[in-house]
Amino acid sequence: MGTKKEKTEHVSRKERHETGKKTFRHTGFALDCVNAALCIGVVILAVVILLDFRKYMFLFPILFLLATLEQFVLGVKYMLRQYVGRAAILYITGIIMGGITVLSMITTY
């Protein structure tokens, strides 16, 4: 009588994605919409700032804040997709951008 080796369950990334696909589809779409709105806001603010730098210098902290929020939204999206490495890089980048936001608030106001 032979003993059976216990088969270890290895779930591939695709299978993990398939199980939560329906839930993520709605959440992912919402995160993409938020990210698109933040990107449009960043571009509009950048164009406005370039029109007259001295007059609209007070918008720099808002620009950096929107970019920081964009990094965190993308981090949440990749975390839900279970891309932990990418999410960690985006969170670290978001923290750095948060520091830049605070510095720009201090120097601007």
Side-chain angles (χ1 to χ4, degrees):
M1 292 188 203
T3 61
K4 288 185 178 180
K5 286 185 176 179
E6 287 187 28
K7 188 176 181 182
T8 58
E9 292 284 329
H10 177 70
V11 180
S12 68
R13 184 175 285 175
K14 184 178 180 182
E15 290 171 351
R16 282 187 286 177
H17 186 66
E18 293 290 325
T19 57
K21 193 173 187 179
K22 199 171 214 178
T23 305
F24 178 73
R25 187 176 296 153
H26 301 294
T27 309
F29 179 73
L31 290 173
D32 284 339
C33 289
V34 170
N35 191 31
L38 289 172
C39 288
I40 290 169
V42 166
V43 170
I44 290 173
L45 278 176
V47 169
V48 168
I49 290 170
L50 286 175
L51 291 176
D52 191 0
F53 177 75
R54 296 197 189 276
K55 184 178 178 182
Y56 298 114
M57 193 167 129
F58 69 94
L59 293 176
F60 263 109
I62 299 169
L63 177 75
F64 287 125
L65 181 64
L66 288 178
T68 302
L69 291 175
E70 183 181 345
Q71 295 297 317
F72 283 116
V73 168
L74 281 174
V76 168
K77 178 180 175 183
Y78 283 122
M79 188 61 84
L80 289 175
R81 284 189 178 177
Q82 298 177 348
Y83 294 125
V84 179
R86 290 180 188 178
I89 290 171
L90 287 167
Y91 288 143
I92 291 169
T93 307
I95 291 169
I96 292 170
M97 289 295 294
I100 293 171
T101 301
V102 170
L103 285 175
S104 69
M105 283 182 181
I106 291 170
T107 58
T108 303
Y109 300 124

